[in-house]
Amino acid sequence: MASVLVVEDDQFVRSALIRQLTEASYTVRSVGTALEALREVAHFRFDVVVLDLGLPDLDGSEALKMLRGITDVPVIIATARDDEAEIVRLLHAGADDYLVKPFSVDHLTARMAAVLRRARAVSGEPAPSTELRVGGLAIDPLRRQAALDGTPLDLTRREFDLLAFLAGRPGVVVPRKELLAEVWQQAYGDDQTIDVHLSWLRRKLGETAARPRYLHTLRGVGVKLEPPGEPRP
């Protein structure tokens, strides 16, 4: 599964992109400022970055230059500016492609697929497997199927989304705020919503909060998914 960083300060546009790209089986992280984007790229590996130019803290073109100073990850510019000279300048500055707003998610995913194909052809890397594996868990985001030790799991849509999101970050503690934003597409919400779904998911994984195997809650911090027997901090 390809991982995408969406850099977009408009919460409505950002939420829509998160939802639609997740439904298209991409692993998505998102931020609203250039500085947050630089921190994300410094700490996580992404297959592609979708970068808005109109950011509140730094113009996207400057953010592009800074990104190119630390990574060669493919960058697709999302902009409301349709000036040809500006677009050419951005491509020369290191952008791999661009889209003029408004655009459809189908158009975006087609551009992303093309950029990823070019990147893999240059690097000689094979296309990654779409299946996620964490211990005995196997999650297929394209078919929206999951199995534990070879036995299919009967998951609701939200349970699957939560499991797949955590499986895309094995061993990483994901803050509850991020779960609400990325899985529920809500900037704010009740933690009880997450707790209820975690409880249902644990039951289907054959574990409890008191005796976890895969799902571990760090009080006041967040949730992580890791294989049984992995050392815990």
Side-chain angles (χ1 to χ4, degrees):
M1 178 195 295
S3 60
V4 185
L5 175 64
V6 173
V7 188
E8 169 63 62
D9 68 315
D10 186 305
Q11 187 60 50
F12 177 79
V13 174
R14 187 172 161 188
S15 295
L17 286 175
I18 291 169
R19 181 180 68 256
Q20 293 169 334
L21 288 174
T22 300
E23 289 174 354
S25 299
Y26 287 92
T27 299
V28 186
R29 291 178 69 89
S30 67
V31 294
T33 68
L35 293 180
E36 287 175 316
L38 292 168
R39 282 196 294 266
E40 285 286 302
V41 168
H43 289 90
F44 299 97
R45 181 189 178 278
F46 295 98
D47 295 298
V48 62
V49 173
V50 179
L51 176 65
D52 177 40
L53 289 186
L55 298 173
D57 60 335
L58 193 66
D59 186 80
S61 59
E62 291 301 314
L64 174 63
K65 292 178 183 178
M66 297 176 74
L67 282 171
R68 278 292 164 256
I70 60 174
T71 180
D72 59 357
V73 62
V75 176
I76 298 177
I77 297 294
T79 177
R81 311 170 192 174
D82 59 358
D83 179 74
E84 182 177 352
E86 172 74 356
I87 291 169
V88 169
R89 186 179 67 80
L90 290 167
L91 292 172
H92 282 304
D96 294 86
D97 206 341
Y98 71 93
L99 283 170
V100 177
K101 296 180 179 179
F103 52 80
S104 69
V105 72
D106 288 339
H107 193 175
L108 173 59
T109 55
R111 293 291 187 97
M112 287 168 56
V115 165
L116 289 169
R117 283 196 301 271
R118 292 198 297 268
R120 288 171 192 141
V122 170
S123 66
E125 294 179 359
S129 170
T130 59
E131 187 175 74
L132 299 171
R133 286 192 171 272
V134 180
L137 275 170
I139 299 107
D140 188 334
L142 292 177
R143 296 182 176 85
R144 295 189 66 81
Q145 296 174 350
L148 177 60
D149 298 326
T151 302
L153 294 170
D154 183 16
L155 304 177
T156 66
R157 176 179 176 177
R158 194 67 75 190
E159 289 167 356
F160 182 88
D161 289 344
L162 177 58
L163 181 64
F165 186 80
L166 291 171
R169 300 151 182 75
V172 175
V173 179
V174 181
R176 288 170 174 267
K177 183 178 179 181
E178 183 175 348
L179 288 176
L180 283 170
E182 306 288 2
V183 179
W184 277 267
Q185 286 86 54
Q186 297 177 10
Y188 304 97
D190 188 349
D191 278 4
Q192 189 175 2
T193 300
I194 298 175
D195 291 332
V196 168
H197 282 83
L198 283 172
S199 177
W200 292 341
L201 192 51
R202 281 194 175 103
R203 192 178 309 163
K204 294 178 180 180
L205 295 179
E207 61 182 65
T208 65
R211 300 186 66 182
R213 296 183 64 238
Y214 284 92
L215 290 166
H216 301 271
T217 300
L218 280 71
R219 189 177 300 276
V221 182
V223 183
K224 69 176 176 178
L225 180 79
E226 64 183 9
E230 288 287 311
R232 297 169 58 193

